[in-house]
């Protein structure tokens, strides 16, 4: 986890040093190459240490950090870019990443319980059909979300006429809604199971995409 966080920090800092589109894209690819594993490791740690009956609530608490980043990080980053430079948010996030990485390395206890279980289950194939379906579902979910999220700012400004100076408010409202939803859904998963909640969430997400991007009168060509 420390290695992944360190790579994420360096990739983010490199974004602030970009000189054009391709160097910025390369920096973001580097950050993603380490940020993705950091997220996976964090979720795996929860799965290893939190009992199944409380795991949904724990996952919801961690995923709430993404919503908190929208509530606090995006508006702060937009304001920092406006007051200082577009490079400033990259360096600020890199500095925060260094603090978090230091905390991980210094305070997080060793987590090696999974090694004993792996030795006991050595006969189980690493990539069985269930694991492959789960990975495919996770990849499709991430692809669907991140095909939309990076384009939200451009879409609401240029297609829907939303004012640039109020963009931080939009992210803040969305982040607050996400924070509440992730905490609530995590608790409901423990009570009613993941399948029901995922089905409801998928229906809501699909309906929101149709309402927000297709039936608006200003669709993307």
């Amino acid at each position: 986890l420390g290695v992944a966080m360190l790579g994420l920090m360096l990739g983010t800092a490199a974004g602030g040093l970009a000189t054009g589109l391709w160097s910025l894209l390369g920096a973001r690819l580097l950050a993603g190459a380490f940020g993705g594993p950091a997220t996976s490791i964090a979720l795996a740690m929860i799965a290893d240490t939190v009992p199944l009956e409380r795991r949904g609530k724990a996952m919801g608490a961690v995923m709430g950090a993404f919503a908190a980043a929208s509530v606090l990080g995006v508006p702060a980053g937009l304001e920092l870019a406006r007051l200082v430079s577009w490079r400033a948010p990259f360096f600020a996030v890199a500095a925060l990443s260094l603090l978090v990485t230091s905390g991980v390395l210094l305070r997080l206890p060793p987590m090696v319980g999974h090694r004993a279980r792996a030795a006991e289950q050595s006969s189980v194939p690493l990539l069985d059909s269930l694991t492959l379906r789960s990975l495919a579902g996770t990849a499709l979910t991430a692809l669907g979300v991140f095909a939309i999220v990076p384009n939200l700012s451009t879409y609401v400004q240029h297609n829907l006429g939303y004012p640039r100076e109020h963009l931080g408010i939009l992210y803040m409202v969305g982040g607050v809604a996400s924070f509440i939803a992730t905490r609530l859904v995590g608790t409901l998963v423990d009570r009613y199971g993941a399948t029901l909640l995922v089905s409801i969430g998928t229906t809501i997400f699909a309906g929101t995409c149709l309402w927000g991007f297709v039936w608006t009168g200003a669709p993307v060509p």
Side-chain angles (χ1 to χ4, degrees):
L1 180 60
V3 170
M5 290 293 298
L6 186 62
L8 175 61
M9 179 200 70
L10 293 174
T12 302
L17 300 172
T19 57
L21 173 62
W22 293 110
S23 57
L24 179 60
L25 185 61
R28 299 311 296 152
L29 285 170
L30 176 65
F34 286 96
T39 303
S40 301
I41 292 168
L43 296 178
M45 288 163 59
I46 294 173
D48 279 347
T49 57
V50 180
L52 183 61
E53 61 272 14
R54 293 191 289 108
R55 196 170 295 162
K57 185 177 181 180
M59 290 283 189
V62 172
M63 298 306 290
F66 289 92
S70 298
V71 175
L72 302 173
V74 175
L78 290 169
E79 190 64 15
L80 195 60
R82 186 181 69 84
L83 294 175
V84 183
S85 163
W86 67 267
R87 301 177 188 273
F90 288 97
F91 295 134
V93 172
L96 288 172
S97 298
L98 180 59
L99 290 176
V100 174
T101 304
S102 300
V104 165
L105 296 175
L106 295 174
R107 300 291 298 167
L108 196 68
M111 308 191 75
V112 296
H114 62 286
R115 296 178 185 172
R117 289 195 298 275
E120 296 170 0
Q121 301 172 354
S122 58
S123 61
V124 178
L126 181 62
L127 291 177
D128 56 14
S129 61
L130 178 60
T131 302
L132 289 172
R133 290 199 301 272
S134 177
L135 289 172
T138 303
L140 287 171
T141 300
L143 181 65
V145 171
F146 288 105
I148 294 173
V149 171
N151 297 301
L152 283 175
S153 172
T154 304
Y155 181 74
V156 297
Q157 288 181 82
H158 298 290
N159 289 65
L160 305 183
Y162 192 85
R164 166 67 176 79
E165 60 271 16
H166 294 159
L167 204 56
I169 298 175
L170 196 65
Y171 277 100
M172 186 173 293
V173 170
V176 169
S178 298
F179 182 79
I180 295 172
T182 50
R183 303 301 292 264
L184 177 62
V185 168
T187 301
L188 293 176
V189 164
D190 291 334
R191 182 176 298 179
Y192 299 108
T195 302
L196 176 63
L197 272 297
V198 167
S199 300
I200 294 173
T202 301
T203 303
I204 294 174
F205 183 69
T208 302
C209 288
L210 286 171
W211 176 71
F213 298 102
V214 179
W215 299 331
T216 61
V220 175

